[in-house]
Amino acid sequence: EYLAIDTYNAVAKANVLTGDAAKALDVAKAFIADHTDHAAALEALLTARGGKPFKEANPRMMSLYVEPALALVVESDTPAADALAFAHALETLAASTYQGFVAQIAEPALRADAMIIGAQEARHATVLAQAIRPGFDGVLPGVDDRGAALVGAVPSTFGTLAAVQAALGKPGESGNKDVLS
């Protein structure tokens, strides 16, 4: 949750959401509030079970995934579109993480809490997918004329547990952007 909060704050600070994409800043603020609420809920659940909360973004994930992705977004010819693509990948990853953990949680109440948070993450991904590919065309994933993956508001029957990819940065010699998984 802190990784998402820090990522949205970094995107806002990078000032890549301009023009029509500036509307996405309001969505990012709402998502930050949701992630802050999720972090507080998880801290309470962890503390109630004798655990010690880790109240910051995972530094390894930040250095290996978020920082390189943000660098690609900032240097991109289409930074606003790439910021949305990265946010979509981040929210999809969060939803799939919660979904994956639900099967491993034995305590019914804790499993329900994880499902509630995971469902909200999936809704975030849906909002972003519709911002990227509005309307009916953006409901299901697809591929473009070159065979590149297109996001969909409904990625699969139950949400994905597969690797989440985002194409970011300036197109290379082949015309394709770097794909992060």
Side-chain angles (χ1 to χ4, degrees):
E1 298 300 333
Y2 289 108
L3 183 126
I5 294 165
D6 288 357
T7 300
Y8 283 119
N9 284 326
V11 167
K13 186 177 176 183
N15 201 28
V16 295
L17 296 173
T18 57
D20 288 342
K23 298 175 212 169
L25 288 172
D26 291 333
V27 173
K29 289 176 186 173
F31 287 0
I32 288 171
D34 289 344
H35 288 293
T36 301
D37 290 346
H38 298 166
L42 292 169
E43 288 170 18
L45 292 168
L46 185 60
T47 302
R49 286 156 181 81
K52 182 180 176 197
F54 186 75
K55 298 183 179 188
E56 62 184 73
N58 180 321
R60 185 135 172 91
M61 290 291 290
M62 288 298 288
S63 67
L64 290 178
Y65 188 66
V66 175
E67 291 167 4
L70 287 174
L72 289 169
V73 167
V74 169
E75 76 178 25
S76 175
D77 294 336
T78 56
D82 284 6
L84 291 175
F86 182 49
H88 178 264
L90 183 69
E91 295 293 348
T92 301
L93 180 61
S96 65
T97 299
Y98 282 104
Q99 181 180 340
F101 277 116
V102 165
Q104 300 176 35
I105 299 172
E107 184 182 329
L110 186 56
R111 189 169 45 245
D113 290 331
M115 289 175 12
I116 289 167
I117 294 172
Q120 191 164 26
E121 305 293 6
R123 286 191 294 276
H124 289 177
T126 298
V127 167
L128 290 163
Q130 279 292 289
I132 295 166
R133 290 182 62 216
F136 188 73
D137 288 342
V139 172
L140 298 175
V143 293
D144 67 12
D145 295 338
R146 296 183 330 194
L150 299 171
V151 300
V154 182
S156 64
T157 304
F158 296 106
T160 183
L161 292 178
V164 178
Q165 297 183 336
L168 308 172
K170 288 185 179 185
E173 291 179 18
S174 68
N176 295 320
K177 296 182 175 195
D178 288 330
V179 177
L180 300 179
S181 297

